[in-house]
Amino acid sequence: DVKVTQSSRYLVKRTGEKVFLECVQDMDHENMFWYRQDPGLGLRLIYFSYDVKMKEKGDIPEGYSVSREKKERFSLILESASTNQTSMYLCASSPAERAVGAFFGQGTRLTVV
Amino acid sequence: DAKTTQPTSMDCAEGRAANLPCNHSTISGNEYVYWYRQIHSQGPQYIIHGLKNNETNEMASLIITEDRKSSTLILPHATLRDTAVYYCIVRVAPQGGSEKLVFGKGTKLTVNP
């Protein structure tokens, strides 16, 4: 079974802290994605990566950065956490072949206080 | 990227077929249609996808119109556990370069006893 693992299920951080959200996939997928999900807004794409060290901005990249040093790991970084970044964060991965779906992790619920 | 339009919510009686529509009128020839669902507090789960032909798997059937401007996800015998938000998305299949999955707000399906 494909597994996408996010490092934490729940996280509480203080305003101004630097926050790292880690995501690891075990299926050698080329593509990895970070989304955030807020009530009434659905899933919004923050960043995605289609190869090691490659990244592209999604729809809402402001306040975030990403790192992909190894194929299996895609990190989302909040340089200086703010309360409006309180959200559910979801990581996903998919292979380069277009006719295959993406697989999601269980999500990290981040609260910034 | 093509955009998708779905109804905000739908209801279905347990044991009956649930038919969830999706409009993707600007879809282009190399874009697949994907369906995912998200049960409360979990990551989205892949259901099915298609390009031109109708598709069926153990979870659902996907009917794509001949002009590809719309599709319908069919859950043949809905159960209470099918209550979820269902997302219809399109995925570009370029020859090279990057791609991304863009989710809309989905349809909240409620299966009633």
Side-chain angles (χ1 to χ4, degrees):
Chain A
D1 276 357
V2 173
K3 208 163 187 183
V4 179
T5 305
Q6 295 183 229
S7 52
S8 304
R9 190 82 170 95
Y10 299 95
L11 209 53
V12 180
K13 294 292 182 181
R14 294 192 181 279
T15 301
E17 274 194 80
K18 189 169 186 175
V19 181
F20 292 86
L21 302 183
E22 306 285 348
C23 176
V24 177
Q25 49 97 359
D26 65 358
M27 282 302 290
D28 202 36
H29 286 170
E30 286 76 14
N31 303 322
M32 295 189 76
F33 309 83
W34 274 107
Y35 294 84
R36 66 176 281 178
Q37 185 170 32
D38 302 287
L41 297 177
L43 278 84
R44 294 181 292 167
L45 181 65
I46 305 172
Y47 267 97
F48 66 104
S49 168
Y50 54 92
D51 202 352
V52 175
K53 296 192 188 294
M54 305 302 286
K55 62 186 179 186
E56 287 203 23
K57 294 180 180 179
D59 299 316
I60 51 163
E62 297 77 21
Y64 303 94
S65 62
V66 290
S67 172
R68 191 155 181 214
E69 296 297 318
K70 293 185 178 181
K71 191 175 186 180
E72 67 270 18
R73 187 180 296 270
F74 192 35
S75 304
L76 181 69
I77 303 156
L78 287 66
E79 294 290 341
S80 177
S82 63
T83 54
N84 63 12
Q85 292 178 309
T86 291
S87 186
M88 169 70 89
Y89 289 88
L90 288 154
C91 174
S93 74
S94 70
E97 296 87 46
R98 309 309 181 191
V100 180
F103 298 88
F104 281 80
Q106 285 303 293
T108 296
R109 186 164 293 282
L110 172 68
T111 303
V112 182
V113 298
Chain B
D1 291 348
K3 298 279 191 270
T4 62
T5 306
Q6 299 176 254
T8 303
S9 63
M10 292 183 66
D11 283 272
C12 176
E14 189 179 16
R16 304 297 294 268
N19 298 299
L20 293 97
C22 179
N23 221 320
H24 31 81
S25 57
T26 59
I27 195 170
S28 59
N30 63 351
E31 288 181 320
Y32 286 80
V33 179
Y34 287 79
W35 283 84
Y36 290 79
R37 74 178 183 185
Q38 187 174 24
I39 295 167
H40 184 62
S41 296
Q42 297 182 20
Q45 175 191 23
Y46 164 81
I47 301 172
I48 198 167
H49 72 277
L51 183 63
K52 296 180 189 175
N53 301 320
N54 299 337
E55 303 287 345
T56 296
N57 64 19
E58 64 278 3
M59 289 182 70
S61 295
L62 175 61
I63 308 297
I64 302 174
T65 58
E66 198 168 333
D67 62 7
R68 302 206 331 117
K69 293 184 186 301
S70 65
S71 60
T72 301
L73 179 76
I74 301 172
L75 308 178
H77 305 286
T79 70
L80 299 179
R81 284 181 292 184
D82 291 323
T83 292
V85 177
Y86 288 77
Y87 296 96
C88 164
I89 66 173
V90 295
R91 180 174 173 181
V92 176
Q95 290 304 310
S98 61
E99 60 162 55
K100 58 181 182 180
L101 300 173
V102 179
F103 283 72
K105 295 185 182 179
T107 297
K108 171 79 168 109
L109 175 69
T110 302
V111 180
N112 300 305

